[in-house]
Amino acid sequence: MSHTAIVTGGTRGIGAAISMALSEDGHKVAATYAGNDEAAEAFKTQTGISVYRFDVADFDQCADSVSRIETDLGAVGILVNNAGITRDGTLHRMDFEQWNAVLQTNLSSCYNMCRNVIDGMRERGFGRIVNIGSVNGQAGQYGQVNYAAAKSGIHGFTKALALEGAAKGVTVNAIAPGYVDTDMVRAVPEKVLEKIIATIPVGRLGYASDIARAVQFLVADDATFITGSTLSINGGQHMY
């Protein structure tokens, strides 16, 4: 069955792969983005997927944008919370802006988006929420106390909301990707990236399509008995 799906951070990297996969499955997809108009317009032209610009860290913008998306595309049945940023640095050098920006964009955004779709999902007796965490939220990472805290928070958020939605036909799951071949990862210095790849048993970075396939599985209409789970997709780098 076709649903309206929102994918935050849905015009680039992992988010773009998820948006395209859901669109190919017949869903009406709204891909959100924060500020890169050029990339978003190129994505829209290439795929035909609707794009919406707003700040997922701002609750009021999320509320207004969800309302606009539902007017344009219909009631939201699928939400993928994928938007995320990094502001890396060791804690003794990290200022509050670096901490807060990551927590707001990566974690508070899950509340902001879920709060604005959960009532409708419960009323209709159907909903699929997938939150994108990270291997670094499971294992930790040097210089990423902000990112690791936010992604770890996503895993707890997922389990709690899954309990609340279970009786209403709303499943809530998380995916914890390892290192995926995106612009963010490719920005890592080459020597550092080589060391990272050396720790991955399958011997390569992940592909965005690896994550997209898992989202397709979790949002399926018949995926009714999978909720509160975290699916680790990291090439065997961390078994949790």
Side-chain angles (χ1 to χ4, degrees), residues 77-90:
I78 297 169
L79 170 63
V80 182
N81 287 307
N82 166 74
I85 61 172
T86 57
R87 297 289 186 271
D88 293 352
T90 53

Side-chain angles (χ1 to χ4, degrees), residues 114-124:
C114 288
R115 184 64 187 87
N116 282 294
V117 302
I118 194 68
D119 288 348
M121 289 179 172
R122 288 169 60 89
E123 289 168 6
R124 292 185 295 273

Side-chain angles (χ1 to χ4, degrees), residues 154-223:
I154 283 174
H155 300 311
F157 178 98
T158 295
K159 293 178 185 298
L161 187 57
L163 291 172
E164 295 180 15
K168 297 293 185 178
V170 181
T171 68
V172 188
N173 292 288
I175 294 173
Y179 287 87
V180 175
D181 190 6
T182 62
D183 290 343
M184 182 184 293
V185 171
R186 284 294 175 186
V188 174
E190 184 176 353
K191 290 185 178 180
V192 175
L193 193 56
E194 289 173 357
K195 291 180 179 179
I196 290 171
I197 294 172
T199 69
I200 302 173
V202 302
R204 66 166 175 88
L205 295 173
Y207 304 132
S209 59
D210 293 329
I211 313 306
R213 280 193 293 272
V215 172
Q216 290 174 290
F217 169 69
L218 291 172
V219 305
D221 283 0
D222 56 0

Side-chain angles (χ1 to χ4, degrees), residues 8-231:
T8 67
T11 64
R12 299 173 66 189
I14 291 173
I18 294 169
S19 294
M20 289 187 289
L22 294 181
S23 179
E24 289 166 4
D25 285 346
H27 300 297
K28 293 172 287 185
V29 178
T32 86
Y33 70 104
N36 192 330
D37 291 323
E38 183 178 353
E41 285 304 314
F43 176 79
K44 180 179 179 181
T45 299
Q46 176 190 350
T47 65
I49 293 171
S50 300
V51 298
Y52 295 81
R53 178 178 176 172
F54 63 95
D55 182 2
V56 293
D58 184 308
F59 181 85
D60 291 335
Q61 288 189 38
C62 291
D64 291 344
S65 297
V66 168
S67 178
R68 182 157 53 98
I69 289 167
E70 292 197 316
T71 297
D72 293 346
L73 303 179
V76 175
I78 297 169
L79 170 63
V80 182
N81 287 307
N82 166 74
I85 61 172
T86 57
R87 297 289 186 271
D88 293 352
T90 53
L91 183 63
H92 69 280
R93 297 180 183 275
M94 183 178 293
D95 61 32
F96 179 74
E97 188 281 330
Q98 291 172 290
W99 167 265
N100 196 49
V102 170
L103 266 291
Q104 295 305 313
T105 298
N106 296 19
L107 180 57
S108 292
S109 61
C110 291
Y111 168 82
N112 294 342
M113 293 301 298
C114 288
R115 184 64 187 87
N116 282 294
V117 302
I118 194 68
D119 288 348
M121 289 179 172
R122 288 169 60 89
E123 289 168 6
R124 292 185 295 273
F126 178 88
R128 298 286 182 267
I129 297 172
V130 180
N131 301 315
I132 306 300
S134 170
V135 64
N136 290 346
Q138 297 173 314
Q141 179 60 270
Y142 184 91
Q144 284 196 326
V145 292
N146 48 6
Y147 187 84
K151 292 299 188 178
S152 180
I154 283 174
H155 300 311
F157 178 98
T158 295
K159 293 178 185 298
L161 187 57
L163 291 172
E164 295 180 15
K168 297 293 185 178
V170 181
T171 68
V172 188
N173 292 288
I175 294 173
Y179 287 87
V180 175
D181 190 6
T182 62
D183 290 343
M184 182 184 293
V185 171
R186 284 294 175 186
V188 174
E190 184 176 353
K191 290 185 178 180
V192 175
L193 193 56
E194 289 173 357
K195 291 180 179 179
I196 290 171
I197 294 172
T199 69
I200 302 173
V202 302
R204 66 166 175 88
L205 295 173
Y207 304 132
S209 59
D210 293 329
I211 313 306
R213 280 193 293 272
V215 172
Q216 290 174 290
F217 169 69
L218 291 172
V219 305
D221 283 0
D222 56 0
T224 57
F225 205 59
I226 307 169
T227 196
S229 295
T230 295
L231 178 57

